[in-house]
Every structure is written in C-alpha cells, then in structure tokens.
Amino acid sequence: MYNMEEWKHVFKLDPAKDLPDEVLDQICESGTDAIIVGGTDNVTLDGVLQLLSYIRRYTVPVILEISNIESVTPGFDYYFVPMVLNSSQKKWLMDLQHEAVVEYGDVINWDEMFAEGYCIMNPEAKVYKLADCNQPTSEEAIGYARMAEHLFRLPFFYLEYSGVYGDPDLVKQIKNELNRTKLIYGGGITNKQQAEEMSQYADIIVVGNALYENPKEALKTVKAVKK
Ligand code: 1GP
C-alpha cells in the first residue's frame, strides 16, 4: 500500500499521553513518513482508538506497534510486532506473540503484520526493565543484528535507546551488517542535528518523547532528514 522502502522518518505517539490538538495537527501534517502509535505503560484500547481516529483525518500512514493484545484494533495501515531479542525471558521474544496468534490467527491479515527485532540498549528505559533485558555489548548488539538479517530474516531491526541519545558509531556498524533487514533507530532525538546524524546510518529514525517536551524542535527533525 505504502512504499516503506522509502521511509526515513517516523513519529511515535504514546496513547497514554496527551498532546494539544494543534500539536497533533502539526505532527500529522509534518511530512513524516508515518506515525507509530505505541507505548509501554497504560496502553488501553480507548487511548489507541482516540489517537487512531484523530490521525485518520489525515493521509499520513498509521501503524500500531502492539504492546498488549487488549489494545489491538482494526483500522491501522500496519501492525508492528516487537520481539525483544535481548530479553532474558522468552515471553518477550515469542510467547506473547504466540498466544495472540493462537487466539486470532484465523482473522489476522498477514500482509499488514511486520515483526521488529528489538535490541534495547538503555537500561534506564521502562521497556528495558519491563522486558527484563540484558545489556548487550556492541559486539553482542551486532550479533543480534546479524541474526535478524540472516537467521530470522526480519523486516526490521530496531536499535532502541528510548529516552537517551545513542551511539552513532554503533548505529553505523550495525547498518553495515544489514542489507535486507531495515534498521530503525529510536532514542533521545530532540533536534535536527541529532536527526541528521542518526539518519546518515539508520534507514528510519523514530522521534517520540521530544514531541511531548519540545514539539517545535521535534517537528524540525522531519525536514532535517527528508531533503
Ligand atoms: C521509543 O524509539 C522510540 O520507542 C523513540 O525514543 O522517545 O527517546 O524519542 P524517544
């Protein structure tokens, strides 16, 4: 439906957080390639539906990044399914996903579904704690990226620093390992310089938190990477 191959910039909105309507309007009209709806805590069906119906007034593609099965609803363009590669519990890698497929497998439209191999690098991030992650060294992170590309053949490898700005050199090294698997980078991007820097290496950069803290600067990240 949309050409994901060309995507470079994505905003991530948290259904558990509020933004003024005028900021949401600016986000939807910013020229970003897509909006991901996703969060870690307190993601409810109500919150997801509210954001979906707001964003749907615009033409921007909208993706649900599934955090829990209760908040999944039809109506999104795509569904991204996180698999946390550096979790110490199999639950976050495949058991939750398996449960969902056992229950809803007959009605899932597989063409809209994409797995993301997450490698979570920031031990302070809520999602790192929730998924009981192990801190990967650079070498280990590269190992996960190689598995995503060659063994699992995942469509996306997501290097997640959620809340802090990551190491551009590692992003570069990981990009060098990936060919078919697209590299998503997210974490701590607050301004256009950072967006530009990470975008040199990552296929897609994700800007989340900055929209809630300094939307004016966050909005400038779109033009910084889509010239
Ligand atoms: C979070 O990777 C995204 O899942 C974006 O991170 O909120 O730090 O921008 P930030």
Side-chain angles (χ1 to χ4, degrees):
M1 200 180 355
Y2 295 101
N3 191 0
M4 283 188 191
E5 290 293 313
E6 286 171 11
W7 287 4
K8 296 181 75 60
H9 182 285
V10 166
F11 279 128
K12 194 184 275 193
L13 291 175
D14 187 337
K17 291 190 194 163
D18 286 327
L19 278 173
D21 285 358
E22 63 267 24
V23 176
L24 277 176
D25 293 334
Q26 286 172 328
I27 293 169
C28 294
E29 291 181 317
S30 64
T32 187
D33 293 306
I35 295 176
I36 295 180
V37 172
T40 307
D41 287 339
N42 308 317
V43 176
T44 62
L45 182 58
D46 246 23
V48 167
L49 284 170
Q50 267 185 34
L51 261 183
L52 173 65
S53 59
Y54 201 97
I55 300 166
R56 269 290 179 237
R57 304 190 206 162
Y58 294 89
T59 54
V60 63
V62 55
I63 299 159
L64 181 65
E65 187 172 60
I66 300 177
S67 1
N68 59 55
I69 196 71
E70 301 75 40
S71 62
V72 179
T73 169
F76 283 83
D77 294 304
Y78 301 108
Y79 296 82
F80 282 6
V81 181
M83 301 169 67
V84 184
L85 303 175
N86 64 318
S87 171
S88 60
Q89 292 178 43
K90 182 165 153 270
K91 173 181 167 189
W92 299 102
L93 182 67
M94 66 157 71
D95 289 354
L96 290 170
Q97 299 81 340
H98 180 231
E99 253 173 57
V101 173
V102 170
E103 198 168 334
Y104 299 105
D106 286 343
V107 294
I108 291 173
N109 178 352
W110 294 104
D111 295 336
E112 298 172 348
M113 236 3 99
F114 294 86
E116 304 166 293
Y118 258 79
C119 181
I120 307 176
M121 301 300 290
N122 172 16
E124 298 308 318
K126 273 191 253 172
V127 61
Y128 183 103
K129 293 175 185 164
L130 179 75
D132 202 1
C133 289
N134 294 316
Q135 176 76 67
T137 61
S138 298
E139 223 175 19
E140 286 165 352
I142 291 168
Y144 285 128
R146 287 179 167 154
M147 289 176 81
E149 165 95 15
H150 301 290
L151 288 182
F152 299 138
R153 303 193 182 187
L154 296 176
F156 297 107
F157 181 76
Y158 195 132
L159 193 67
E160 171 70 292
Y161 280 87
S162 184
V164 292
Y165 190 65
D167 172 6
D169 193 52
L170 180 60
V171 184
K172 182 179 180 183
Q173 288 180 60
I174 286 182
K175 176 59 193 168
N176 287 338
E177 299 296 331
L178 299 178
N179 196 6
R180 277 173 306 186
T181 298
K182 294 258 168 248
L183 175 57
I184 303 180
Y185 169 84
I189 295 178
T190 57
N191 59 47
K192 53 184 186 183
Q193 289 78 13
Q194 291 171 330
E196 248 171 45
E197 183 172 40
M198 288 306 186
S199 186
Q200 293 174 72
Y201 313 121
D203 295 299
I204 298 172
I205 60 157
V206 181
V207 178
N209 221 18
L211 290 170
Y212 299 86
E213 283 171 4
N214 189 345
K216 198 166 162 240
E217 286 304 307
L219 284 159
K220 292 184 190 161
T221 61
V222 179
K223 285 217 176 68
V225 307
K226 290 176 65 73
K227 288 171 188 153

